[in-house]
Amino acid sequence: MSQSITLSEEQREFRAVVRQFAADKIVPLAAEADRNAEYSWAAFDALKAMELTALSYPEEYGGSGASLVDQAIVAEELARADASTSLMFLISKLGMLPVLNFGSEDLKQAYVPKIATGESQASYALSEADAGSDVASMTTRAVRDGDDWVISGSKCWITNAGISDVYTVFARTSEDRHTGITAFLVEARWGVEVDKLEHKLGIKGSPTGVIRLDEVRVPDTHRLGEVGEGFKVAMHTLDRSRPTIGAQAVGIAQGALDYAVDYMRERRTFGRPIADNQGLQWMAADAAMKIEAARNLVYKACAMVDDGDPHGELSMAGAMAKCYASDVAMEVTTDAVQFLGGYGYTNEFPVERMMRDAKITQIYEGTNQIQRIVIAKHLMR
Ligand code: COS
């Protein structure tokens, strides 16, 4: 079945190329990275060799200038093979969005090209132990000292902790709740310490950690946006990243459904393939419908980003895409395990990994409860 009526012939060909790449280079690495909870440098090197690390950045900074819809295609196809690898593709973009949208020309020239070649990677350091959903409660501080800022504090749930070379760090520069936060670009070697790496349910091939900054000196040239503008920088960034988490969720769901359908055509009980059972056919049909609906929400939100959000609807559209797609991913992957029965519950088959990986998409980049708050705020305003 066609995945979307909105893709051009060129985009469909591009999707087929990325799908083949993921089948050849990523699928063989996924189970082991999950089992060992290890970052797969082989997977990252494959992304580099395919020049997928460059895809999300403008050509003037060494990127290939792809649209966000094209980036969603890649996030989906990588996630269809392995969610952790798709996160490798997405995380540096999240870290670099504030640089691209709020950083100086010098900062863009200095950092983005190295991210595009894959020589360097970036993370996004917003959440804290007591400031996850409630971003404005953060306590990490930045104090002005001459031409520098001195940053101290701890940030949690940091994707790519210890792997990334640069971190976009949000810190409090005054007591004002929303207007007292400022964003900075901080190089890891200036003193970003990894305090702890989490042992997680899923996305085990992607390290998640707690980082600490202990009086780390950051030049004012590395400020992203105006002093006090950090909360808006954070929200503006998440609005432009959440649709791609939706794409990741769609990919996880599609990967699980495709695997389960192939299995059901082979697996025989009572003398015939279990795919002949109408009860299972209906479950599979529901899954396919929901995935397709989620994919179209994702494409719509991504196209809004590409068009510059002319009607101010992106926050809501991005929240819908991320929330719906991740709820679908959780449901579909859980059903995929059921389709495989006892086998689905073992790590001999990839669907239990996909079910565990799907769970994070309902939590990160804003829990789905927060997405519903964002949607409701737009409805009620
Ligand atoms: N873009 C631009 N500005 C925005 C915005 C957006 N998407 N969302 C809110 N703002 C502005 C508001 O307009 C308001 O500005 P004014 O005071 O000038 O009116 C200001 O920011 C404060 O907004 P609000 O009162 O809605 O902020 P809250 O503290 O209530 O927080 C939520 C709102 C819950 C939506 C926000 O904190 C959030 O998204 N939390 C989840 C964070 C997250 O996703 N974390 C994941 C970690 S990153 S991987």
Side-chain angles (χ1 to χ4, degrees):
M1 190 188 116
S2 93
Q3 287 201 349
S4 169
I5 50 166
T6 56
L7 294 190
S8 67
E9 202 46 48
E10 202 184 357
Q11 285 173 314
R12 295 170 70 88
E13 282 167 22
F14 176 61
R15 184 181 63 196
V17 168
V18 180
R19 181 170 292 197
Q20 193 60 50
F21 159 79
D24 294 344
K25 304 283 186 196
I26 305 303
V27 169
L29 303 168
E32 197 183 329
D34 175 62
R35 205 170 297 133
N36 300 335
E38 255 172 30
Y39 185 85
S40 172
W41 283 102
F44 186 71
D45 287 344
L47 297 184
K48 267 164 75 172
M50 192 70 179
E51 297 183 4
L52 291 178
T53 48
L55 197 86
S56 311
Y57 306 98
E59 287 174 27
E60 59 265 45
Y61 308 117
S64 41
S67 68
L68 199 64
V69 173
D70 288 349
Q71 294 170 46
I73 290 171
V74 173
E76 178 185 335
E77 291 305 326
L78 295 176
R80 186 174 170 273
D82 177 38
S84 293
T85 304
S86 81
L87 197 48
M88 289 176 187
F89 168 72
L90 292 172
I91 188 58
S92 287
K93 175 72 186 302
L94 177 62
M96 280 295 114
L97 270 171
V99 175
L100 290 167
N101 291 322
F102 299 94
S104 68
E105 186 57 30
D106 283 352
L107 274 190
K108 292 179 209 176
Q109 295 286 358
Y111 289 95
V112 181
K114 282 191 232 164
I115 301 279
T117 58
E119 181 189 338
S120 171
Q121 296 190 54
S123 287
Y124 192 69
L126 178 66
S127 300
E128 297 181 4
D130 293 317
S133 293
D134 182 9
V135 178
S137 289
M138 71 173 61
T139 58
T140 292
R141 275 190 186 278
V143 178
R144 187 80 197 234
D145 182 26
D147 289 339
D148 298 338
W149 293 84
V150 179
I151 305 183
S152 295
S154 182
K155 295 284 178 181
C156 294
W157 317 121
I158 306 306
T159 298
N160 241 20
I163 300 277
S164 286
D165 308 276
V166 285
Y167 294 77
T168 290
V169 176
F170 294 84
R172 182 156 292 293
T173 44
S174 83
E175 296 314 314
D176 305 319
R177 225 175 110 71
H178 293 104
T179 53
I181 295 170
T182 306
F184 302 90
L185 186 67
V186 182
E187 292 194 21
R189 64 191 174 98
W190 294 345
V192 178
E193 302 291 340
V194 178
D195 265 356
K196 175 187 171 197
L197 290 174
E198 308 291 350
H199 297 281
K200 308 187 301 280
L201 177 72
I203 51 160
K204 290 180 179 236
S206 171
T208 310
V210 177
I211 60 164
R212 182 171 38 86
L213 293 88
D214 218 349
E215 301 199 346
V216 174
R217 197 163 271 277
V218 177
D220 188 52
T221 51
H222 285 57
R223 180 165 39 80
L224 304 169
E226 300 301 324
V227 175
E229 207 187 9
F231 186 84
K232 288 198 179 159
V233 172
M235 294 300 124
H236 183 277
T237 300
L238 291 171
D239 283 347
R240 282 148 189 80
S241 180
R242 283 175 181 154
T244 60
I245 296 300
Q248 181 184 52
V250 168
I252 298 170
Q254 189 69 58
L257 180 63
D258 290 348
Y259 194 92
V261 166
D262 283 348
Y263 179 90
M264 287 192 285
R265 284 150 61 171
E266 295 292 321
R267 173 76 176 161
R268 298 175 74 85
T269 60
F270 305 101
R272 57 189 186 142
I274 61 170
D276 286 357
N277 295 315
Q278 201 175 50
L280 299 188
Q281 290 177 1
W282 287 3
M283 282 169 71
D286 280 345
M289 263 194 288
K290 288 176 186 175
I291 292 171
E292 187 61 15
R295 182 178 288 115
N296 281 284
L297 280 178
V298 166
Y299 286 163
K300 183 175 173 183
C302 290
M304 265 183 207
V305 176
D306 290 333
D307 292 346
D309 188 21
H311 308 295
E313 293 170 343
L314 173 62
S315 292
M316 182 165 75
M320 283 180 174
K322 187 272 187 193
C323 184
Y324 185 73
S326 57
D327 284 349
V328 166
M330 198 64 241
E331 187 183 329
V332 170
T333 54
T334 306
D335 283 349
V337 171
Q338 194 71 20
F339 286 139
L340 269 73
Y343 294 107
Y345 201 62
T346 74
N347 67 6
E348 306 261 312
F349 295 85
V351 288
E352 61 84 33
R353 183 187 83 235
M354 293 166 169
M355 186 179 97
R356 290 185 284 105
D357 287 348
K359 188 64 205 167
I360 193 61
T361 64
Q362 294 182 302
I363 298 173
Y364 64 13
E365 292 211 14
T367 63
N368 282 2
Q369 286 68 33
I370 289 292
Q371 308 308 323
R372 288 176 168 92
I373 288 172
V374 171
I375 295 164
K377 272 191 182 177
H378 278 258
L379 291 177
M380 310 301 173
R381 77 181 171 186

